[in-house]
Amino acid sequence: MTRLRFTVDHQSPHSKARAARFQTLHGEVLTPVFMPVGTQATVKGQTVDSLKAVGSRVLLANTYHLLLRPGREVFKRFGGIHRFMNWDGPVLTDSGGFQIFSLPGDRTMTEDGATFRSYVDGTLHLLSPESSIEMQRAIGSDIMMVLDQCIPSTAAYAQAEAAMELTHRWARRSLDARGDSPQALFGIVQGACHPALRKKSATFLSQLPFDGLAIGGLAVGETHAERYEFTGLVTDYLPADRPRYLMGVGTPIDILEAVHRGVDMFDCIIPSQVAQRGTAFTSHGKIKCARAVYKFSEEPLDAACDCQTCRDYSRAYLHHLVKADEMLGWHLLTVHNLAYYHRLMREMRASILRNEFLAFYAKKRLELARSDEANPSVFPAKAKVTRAPHRGDYEIVQSPQGFFSIRQISSGEIMHSVNRPSDEADAVYIAQSRLATRILLPAASSTNGYSYGAPPAPAPADGCAELVIWDVGLGAGSNAMAAIACFEQVLALHGASALRPLRIVSFECDLDPLILATAKSGRFPHLQHAAPHGLLGAGRWTHASGLLTWELVHGDFLAHFEGATAPDLIFYDPFSAKTDAALWTPEVFARLFACCRTKSVELFTYSASTAVRVALLSAGFFVAEGVGTGPKAATTVAFTSRAGRTHPPLAAQLLGAAWLARWRRSQSRFPAALPAEEHPAFAARLEAHPQFGGVPPVRA
Ligand SMILES: [Zn+2]
């Protein structure tokens, strides 16, 4: 028997919806139930009385925020959150996992837990399964949650599997840490959008003595259809005799769909969040109170609602409060929205008990899909001229083979025009640079105790130091995402202790291509990942392992590269010399060469033109023939030192006498900007390059 004494009152036929009840230390809870979010031990702008008046029964509080402020000593002094905030009903606390992994800021992940810096006072904290339970015990919540590793629902299989396995180990530790506390404890099913992982996680956690099970990691990046699908998939594997909680969900229609799929408990900030923006859920659909149509309206917000807001105030007054940005407007709309949510839950429960849930579901879905039906603000649209999705100077184009690329409208140039962008990225940049091998630590050092939780041990050679990639010309993120995919594969195969830290520095002056492609990631599968969102949002994204950092240098490459961490690998992929000539000159490559002198650097680029190779050679690089890709017969690789030392496979392909002979006959033998009188000296220097050792310089 679990601590909650969960009993199902009625199970719907032809639907997984069920009405149930459970007992907490602070009274009984009837399900389906919606739990308002009281992050800082307060539901924003609400008093305990206003919460009780709208029908709130269980509140959710955030362990992470309460740990940092006011801190556990305050809860110990007060004997828990109930007396502290004057709430005598049940409280559920999350574990802090979601905040740790989703809020910006440095953190270090280990098997033990996550170390992070307080946003309140800068002190270091360790959030481990044990410390999270200890804090939740101090808070004295009725239901505690295990610490889990949250990752985006769009995470790749390997990353999702690693996070799930860690979450499982943490789940066992959390149960041990709970000990004989009378507080209930829920496990959290993870596995992103991978059916096999979700099934495995639900099955594994169901066998442990949890009092309930939660579905985590949804509502963080997936589509609504995916969320419904995975909710239904997971509840198929959860035991019928314990409550099921879908974390962080959602809108009224999301909740309706999840109840239909067998979920009992929900929490979400939406009722208060949309209230702050002046929006109310009503029986006529969603209403935006700021609209001028309500300026003189004497009607209540929702005639079908009996909350204090609808009883005592007019739409005109609410309109005025919202326009004046008065806090009473936020308060009154939150009161109404919470009343709306709780009424929806009660109606669902009643329809289940009456055996009429399916009919209720069918009718309510239509109602919830409406928005402000009484006062439509959008007039029927005229037939539109369709145009490809575009942003700024860029648009999405589809190739005859069916894949999508980004085209610069002004120049007409298509990024990675010749074949699927990810194929070109893999062939030219990832495979040729042997990236998978280079991010592995030398075999010997994988057993020296170095793990990603500890500070990196002093590297015996540069084989253990951070590997730095410069991604010049971020574009739609093809090359950087190919590198991230490669990293995630190697991590899955070898584990974190076998990897060097990887830093990708992307240079880009115009983010429109990435913003455009990320918004249409259905056409750019490589962007269906948390990383581009993180990079666009914060200029930086860190992999959950802490081993991979992706940074954006926003601006002109030529103005910024000399200040960046020196690279090991350069993916040189700006627009062509025709579109962006400034990035392909001998002077630029000379500056690049000077900047890279302290390391043995390899540069990869899609161009195989004589002019580009001449520019690289004249700058001092050793230049080799790179692989062909699509219809291109060759690309170019350049090294700062003799290739034999850094890259044996390509050393054999260093340009030699045959290329030199072709160069002597070439039309583009000299840089276009070079005055004719300097041609002989330039030619002499080129022929004297150590790469062509033995070929005597031509004397004028
Ligand atoms: Zn109301």
Side-chain angles (χ1 to χ4, degrees), residues 231-264:
T231 302
L233 186 147
V234 172
T235 55
D236 277 344
Y237 294 99
L238 293 180
D241 63 354
R242 280 177 274 175
R244 305 160 180 164
Y245 164 30
L246 181 54
M247 301 175 78
V249 171
T251 61
I253 194 158
D254 286 341
I255 291 177
L256 179 77
E257 295 288 356
V259 166
H260 178 47
R261 288 165 176 79
V263 176
D264 309 302

Side-chain angles (χ1 to χ4, degrees), residues 135 160 300 360 541:
M135 181 61 193
F360 177 87
W541 176 80

